[in-house]
């Protein structure tokens, strides 16, 4: 079996996994399908490594041509999944947020992201790209933010460490997301925060949209406030990606000018045009009513694309990459989450 068949095999596995979650919707509340896809990819890589035929197939998958093909499929799946996610956001709900609440969210995200970058490099001595992925995942919208940031970084950095950093950052953010759910369970039992305050706190700190929905659903009439706050953080990812793209292009031009002083710089970092498609789909809902069946289909396709990307990530992850998921990495992610909760509580008093 050639490594060139990997995208088709992963596509089939993605459809099977997606179908399984649709047959029993309660699975999604107990085990995140994105995380399940990562585990499935890791298990598949481990089992294949035990067989001689499997080792040959993994070796063929590591060849430049097969690796480039799978990377292209993965990148396109990531971007399509992020674009279609726009149909899960109701722009009318976002327009209903108060300007002061939105300003507090902007301040919160900017402060946490900046401090996380500084802590990861200065205190925890982690690789810059890994710090960037984890910081973006916790500050904005979990796995979607990590995928989008990785997609831009991949166009500027094609070394073998890219997949390792992606796997490690996903694992760290998914685990602290479970920690966040535990914190919400404790806070919901405390009397010192009202439902409205809890709704804003959940929306401003939940790494994933699904976590904000799950925790916010226990707040009765204030549940929409948690979802609106969370979706506002999702939208803040858009200017971040545009700024990151411009920063990467500037850095690349400086490196090229130093290496080749007499030649005009060439751009390998591509502007994230898929973000413009995301904005277009988001704004189109203000003009056209999207049928519920189309929104449901887009949600399934978006989830399927992200499942495909996670399967590819797990399949390409090596054992040494997992061993590099140190306690220091999870300590960093936990500290960023605690920082996020602390600053959110402080802003809640304003």
């Amino acid at each position: 079996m050639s490594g060139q068949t990997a995208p088709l095999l992963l596509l089939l596995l993605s459809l099977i996994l997606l179908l399984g979650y649709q047959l029993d919707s309660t699975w999604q509340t107990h085990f995140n399908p994105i995380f399940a896809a990562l585990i499935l990819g890791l298990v598949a890589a481990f089992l294949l490594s035990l067989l001689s035929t499997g080792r040959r197939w993994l070796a063929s998958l590591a060849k430049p041509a097969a690796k480039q093909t799978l990377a292209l499929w993965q990148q396109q799946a990531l971007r399509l999944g992020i674009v279609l996610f726009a149909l899960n956001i109701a722009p009318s709900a976002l327009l209903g947020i108060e300007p002061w609440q939105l300003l507090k969210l902007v301040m919160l995200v900017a402060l946490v992201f900046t401090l996380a970058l500084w802590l990861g490099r200065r205190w925890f001595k982690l690789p810059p790209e890994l710090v960037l992925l984890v910081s973006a995942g916790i500050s904005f919208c979990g796995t979607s933010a990590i995928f989008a940031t990785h997609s831009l970084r991949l166009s500027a950095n094609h070394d073998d460490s890219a997949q390792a950093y992606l796997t490690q950052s996903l694992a760290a953010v998914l685990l602290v997301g479970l920690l966040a759910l535990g914190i919400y369970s404790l806070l919901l039992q405390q009397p010192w925060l009202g439902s409205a305050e809890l709704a804003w706190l959940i929306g401003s700190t939940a790494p994933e949209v699904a976590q904000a929905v799950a925790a916010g659903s226990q707040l009765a009439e204030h549940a929409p406030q948690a979802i609106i706050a969370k979706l506002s953080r999702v939208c803040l990812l858009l200017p971040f990606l545009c700024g990151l793209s411009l920063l990467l292009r500037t850095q690349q031009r400086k490196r090229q000018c130093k290496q080749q002083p007499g030649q005009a710089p060439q751009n390998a970092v591509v502007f994230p045009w898929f973000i413009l498609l995301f904005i277009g789909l988001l704004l189109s809902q203000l003009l056209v009513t999207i049928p519920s069946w189309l929104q449901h289909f887009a949600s399934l396709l978006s989830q399927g694309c992200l499942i495909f990307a996670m399967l590819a990530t797990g399949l390409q992850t090596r054992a040494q990459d997992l061993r590099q998921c140190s306690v220091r990495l999870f300590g960093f992610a936990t500290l960023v989450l605690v920082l996020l909760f602390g600053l959110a509580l402080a802003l809640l008093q304003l």
Side-chain angles (χ1 to χ4, degrees), residues 50-115:
L50 300 178
L51 305 172
S52 57
T53 304
R55 287 194 293 270
R56 287 196 298 269
W57 186 71
L58 290 175
S60 67
L61 188 62
K63 293 180 179 178
K67 196 172 184 178
Q68 185 176 9
T69 300
L70 184 57
L72 179 61
W73 278 68
Q74 184 183 23
Q75 185 181 62
Q76 297 307 318
L78 287 175
R79 294 183 173 184
L80 179 59
I82 293 169
V83 168
L84 292 177
F85 184 74
L87 294 179
N88 294 334
I89 302 175
S92 57
L94 294 177
L95 293 176
I97 189 172
E98 297 180 4
W100 173 234
Q101 298 295 332
L102 180 59
L103 180 59
K104 287 199 295 184
L105 285 173
V106 173
M107 292 168 57
L108 175 65
V109 170
L111 281 172
V112 170
F113 182 73
T114 304
L115 289 173

Side-chain angles (χ1 to χ4, degrees), residues 1 28 47 79 115:
M1 184 166 49
Q28 298 210 29
L47 294 177
R79 294 183 173 184
L115 289 173

